[in-house]
């Protein structure tokens, strides 16, 4: 297992840039391993019936949301997340999302990964949270690469984010995102993001 010093060296010295519609700025030396992980374990989760059906169901509810409604929900979520971070209980919007069967499924996957996955976020066709393994700071992910470079990029897209250092937990992570595809229509209906601790690869 790599030392903390080695991880910092990797994060600081071996970041490279790629081009193309699915390339992140500052991709890392773990791109190959993360790509292989995405095309095996992660895609299985994205194709699972519980994930696909949860996205389908939410799309039926949120598809007609006006932008103002999305902004309102995102603001409400942010306030609840901030209160939770200060030691309060989860607010109603976060609690409802965390209580869904798909969120339980994602939490179980994270727990069973033995530290490989640091978070899992499932998003609908509007970029809103469908299921989460733990509380996120935002409810709407539609302005971020995790959604824009997967949902908008097509059924075969893959986005590997830059390495990010978390000094509080002494981990170096990368977000790996892929689309959720409806097996019946072959259309992209959502997106799925995994936070991956690269030392655990």
């Amino acid at each position: 297992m790599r030392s903390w010093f080695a991880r910092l060296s990797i994060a600081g010295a071996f970041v490279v840039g790629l081009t193309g519609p699915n390339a992140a700025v500052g991709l890392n030396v773990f791109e190959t391993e993360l790509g292989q992980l995405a095309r095996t374990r992660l895609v299985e989760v994205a194709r699972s019936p519980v994930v696909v059906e949860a996205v389908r169901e939410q799309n039926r509810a949120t598809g007609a949301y006006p932008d103002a409604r999305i902004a309102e929900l995102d603001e409400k979520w942010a306030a609840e997340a901030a209160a939770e971070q200060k030691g309060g209980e989860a607010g109603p919007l976060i609690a409802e999302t965390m209580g869904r069967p798909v969120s339980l499924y994602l939490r179980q996957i994270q727990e069973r990964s033995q530290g490989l996955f640091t978070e899992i976020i499932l998003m609908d066709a509007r970029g809103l949270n469908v299921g989460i393994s733990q509380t996120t700071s935002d409810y709407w992910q539609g302005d971020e690469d995790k959604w824009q470079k997967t949902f908008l990029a097509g059924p075969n897209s893959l986005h590997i984010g830059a390495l990010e250092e978390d000094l509080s937990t002494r981990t170096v992570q990368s977000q790996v995102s892929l689309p959720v595809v409806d097996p019946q229509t072959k259309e992209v209906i959502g997106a799925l993001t995994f936070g991956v601790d690269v030392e655990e690869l």
Side-chain angles (χ1 to χ4, degrees):
M1 198 172 276
R2 299 178 182 87
S3 68
W4 173 234
F5 177 80
R7 283 186 291 187
L8 284 177
S9 299
I10 290 168
F14 292 98
V15 174
V16 297
L18 297 181
T19 59
N22 297 325
V25 176
L27 285 178
N28 52 66
V29 293
F30 297 101
E31 180 192 356
T32 299
E33 293 92 335
L34 291 170
Q36 182 177 7
L37 178 69
R39 293 180 177 89
T40 52
R41 291 176 64 179
L42 307 193
V43 76
E44 288 182 4
V45 179
R47 291 174 178 171
S48 65
V50 64
V51 164
V52 171
E53 187 51 43
V55 176
R56 280 178 181 155
E57 183 177 349
Q58 181 155 309
N59 282 344
R60 287 192 286 268
T62 62
Y65 279 8
D67 291 345
R69 175 61 172 157
I70 291 175
E72 176 188 347
L73 289 170
D74 194 43
E75 192 173 309
K76 178 177 173 59
W77 182 285
E80 291 184 8
E84 185 178 329
Q85 197 168 38
K86 293 178 181 177
E89 294 185 2
L93 182 57
I94 292 177
E96 191 277 327
T97 305
M98 288 289 288
R100 295 172 182 171
V102 72
S103 290
L104 174 60
Y105 172 67
L106 298 179
R107 281 199 301 278
Q108 290 174 339
I109 290 173
Q110 180 177 337
E111 290 166 0
R112 293 170 182 168
S113 74
Q114 299 181 324
L116 176 62
F117 303 140
T118 59
E119 65 176 343
I120 310 174
I121 307 169
L122 176 63
M123 298 152 277
D124 67 12
R126 302 300 299 278
L128 298 171
N129 290 346
V130 177
I132 51 176
S133 64
Q134 59 188 40
T135 301
T136 59
S137 57
D138 302 317
Y139 182 56
W140 183 59
Q141 316 292 340
D143 60 342
E144 299 184 19
D145 286 348
K146 65 168 67 74
W147 185 83
Q148 293 184 348
K149 294 189 176 181
T150 54
F151 180 82
L152 299 179
N156 298 314
S157 60
L158 171 64
H159 177 72
I160 300 174
L163 287 173
E164 298 178 356
E165 302 170 30
D166 186 335
L167 296 178
S168 64
T169 59
R170 294 194 167 189
T171 57
V172 179
Q173 306 177 47
S174 177
Q175 286 193 334
V176 181
S177 306
L178 60 164
V180 175
V181 180
D182 190 312
Q184 296 177 1
T185 65
K186 309 304 181 185
E187 294 179 351
V188 179
I189 59 173
L192 185 64
T193 292
F194 290 77
V196 179
D197 181 345
V198 295
E199 187 180 0
E200 300 298 329
L201 287 169

